[in-house]
Every structure is written in C-alpha cells, then in structure tokens.
Amino acid sequence: MHHITSRSIALLTRCTRISSRSAPPNRHHLQSVTVHRHPAHCCSQPQLWNASVSRWASTASTSGATPSLNESYSETTRLFELISSRANWPALQTERGSLRKQCEDETLWERDPNKAVELGKRLKALEESLEQYEDTKRRYEELREMVDLAQEEQDTALLTEVSTDLQDLLSDLQKYSLQLLMSSEADQNGCFIEFRAGAGGAEACDWVHMLVRMYERWAVAQGHSVKLVDELKGEIAGLKSATLHVDGPYAYGWCKHEAGVHRFVRQSPFDSNERRHTSFVSLQVFPATSSTSEPLVEIQPHEIKIEVMRAQGAGGQHVNTTESAVRIVHIPTGTMVTCQNQRSQHQNRAVAMQMLQSKLYQRQLREQADAKSAQRDNLDPNAWGSQIRSYVLHPYKMIKDLRTGHDRSDVENVLDGDLEGFMEAALVHFGNVEQQKI
C-alpha cells in the first residue's frame, strides 16, 4: 500500500488536467521522474533539477514570488545531495534485507543469544536511518515534480504551496544533515564537560565561572537536564575547576568539538587600573551514560583507589561535617575524578564512578581513532597560541572560532548560551575533514 499525501493528490489532479489537453503529454518529464527513483541517480543528474530551478526563477519573477526562493531551492538541492553522499544507501538497504532474514531465523536465539541481540540492535538502527532517508527522498522528489508542474501551468496558487513546502523541507534537511554528522555510537549520549583554569589568575577563575554558566544555559535551552557535579573554588573569585553533567539526547555529539582552550580578553574588574587582561580555560568533553544502562567500560575493583574527604563550599546540614566527597583514581591509567556536590557519600561515589567510566571510554575512543588532538594527555598548553576560540570584550566585541572561522559580535547573547552557530559550524568543519580523509 503506497502512502498518499495531500500533495500527491494535488499532483495527480493536475496531471489529469494536463493529459486531457489536445497536446501530447510531456514524455521527457515523466521519464525524468522515473530516472530519479534511485538515490545514486538523484545525485548523478543535478542538471535536471538545476533546469527546474532556472525555470522556477523565471516563473517566480512573473508571479510576484520572492527572488530568495531560487536560492532556497539551490540550498535544498545541495543539502539533499550532501545527505545522499554521506552513506551508501543502496548497500544499507541490502544489509537491512539480509538482517531481516537472519533475525527471522527461529534457531538464532537458541544458538547464539548475544549475536541475536546485536543483530536486533543493528536492524533497528538501520530501519530508523533508512526510513528517515527514504521519507526525505520522497518529499524531495515530490517537491521537484510540483515545481515542474507549476512552471508548466504558470499556477500561482501551486507556487505558493510549493514555497511553503520548500521552507519546511529545507529546515528538516538542515537538521538532518547535522544529525548525519553525529554518526558515532557515543554521539547519542549525554556528556560531562570539565573546566580547568589556566593562565590568568583570578581572571581565569572568573572565566571558568562564566563558561559554566554559558553551557548551563545552552543545555537548558535544548531541554537537557544539567548538574554541577564538582567544583573547586578560586582563591579570590570564580572557580579553579568544575564539571558539568549534561543529560540529553545527542548532548555529546553537539558538545564534543567544544573541547580545547578558550581565550578571554576584557578590562579586568579585579584590576584597579582597569587594564586589559587575557585569560585561558581548557575544556574537556567526554560521553556519559545513564545509571540504568550498561557500563561504557568494565572496571575491576582492584583497578581503582577510592578516597573520601570533606566537601568544600558553603555546604548545609552534614555537608562539611562528614566526609561525603569522593575521589576515585584508576590505577592502570592514572585517571582521577572527584565528586562532592551530591547529598551523601553514596551518591557522590555513584556519580564519580559514572564519570570515571566516561573518561575511560573517551580514552578508548581516542585510541581507536588514533586522535591527534587528545583532550587530556596531549591537550595543548592552557595559554597563548593554543586557543580554539577567542572571546574579546575589549577594545572591540567579537567571538571567533579559530578552526571554523565562524564569528559573532553579539557577545552577550553567546555568553548567555546561544552556541548553536558555533556548534553547527564545528560539526560541518570536522565532518568535511573526515570526508577528505576518506
């Protein structure tokens, strides 16, 4: 049973009107629709769609439509071709069929239950991915047909309908293309963001506090839950270090490229002469997992050393009078985590173990990928010449990512958590880098 939409009905109705004319039907148009049934063909014949765009531009100018629609169509085409090239979709369809046959084998669970679970997970992920791509492809092809038809009939009402559908599709394609750039297993997880003050003294500690607030506001705006699980107060102001736990879908995928050194320039409120100061803070980002899911990394009891201590901070009942803070050291790697902001030692220990598993998993991912820019052992110096992003508040206002070139002059909005532009630019930049390596 084929899925019939309102646009499909409109298309069939108008095609019937065309076929009832005395002139013979446009066979070339019908053939072009058939040719584009395969994803590879969609990408190998962009000139057909470009011709439709050109015809649309001329029609739009006579119908009073805005000229920007031509640019929107070009961007829609570019994004769809990018999505089509991100994976071998025909091969994935073949794999889906093969997995379905294997999962239908009634003896699979008896012979190898672990393999059955793995095949089931892979099949589910493939079906979700292919269903999203096939739905996007159907909408894209349907829109192309509507444009051709609107151009032939000079139908202003249809042009208006198509322009609305175009904006919806373009918005979905933008989100879809970014989602495809977050394709690793860890990208779907929550994350821990670790902040450490570098060069700059009290200014750097205050900069840590400002960055913690910025990422907290970003997380809340995305609908994620966020907790400050560890902090170390600065001697004069701010924080020497802090760790945020961001819990939400694809939180790690969005934040993973925020890791690095962040440079901050302003007139220091801690300087009586109001001179310009530069400070640095390093960020590390590693994936998290929920307490109810399977551990990211198996940790043996003899591999860890657990220490308890009194928590810092203003505290409350029992916080500073009992040894509730927990520090865990992973002996084989020397990895250390601390947690002190929970209500009890038991809760701090649970969160600290989760942080340790996440750090070790991140270390494992780096080793597997042979990452050149390791976030911990090979992290760039937390000082001049190593920053990934500069935040300048004086003598001018500008925030610029030195890797992608993306910049903003509305620094207040960015410091209030408006980070989507920087994160999207980083995803596209590093996605292109990976494509060039392939």
Side-chain angles (χ1 to χ4, degrees), residues 123-147:
L123 177 59
K124 181 180 179 181
L126 268 181
E127 286 180 335
E128 291 177 352
S129 178
L130 285 169
E131 181 180 354
Q132 185 173 11
Y133 173 74
E134 290 165 356
D135 179 67
T136 301
K137 176 176 177 290
R138 175 188 59 77
R139 291 173 61 193
Y140 173 78
E141 292 183 344
E142 188 176 281
L143 189 61
R144 294 183 63 244
E145 295 170 6
M146 296 284 278
V147 169

Side-chain angles (χ1 to χ4, degrees), residues 153-173:
E153 290 201 322
Q154 297 290 314
D155 191 331
T156 305
L158 183 56
L159 288 174
T160 303
E161 179 184 351
V162 167
S163 66
T164 301
D165 293 341
L166 168 67
Q167 295 304 320
D168 293 339
L169 178 60
L170 182 57
S171 176
D172 291 343
L173 284 174

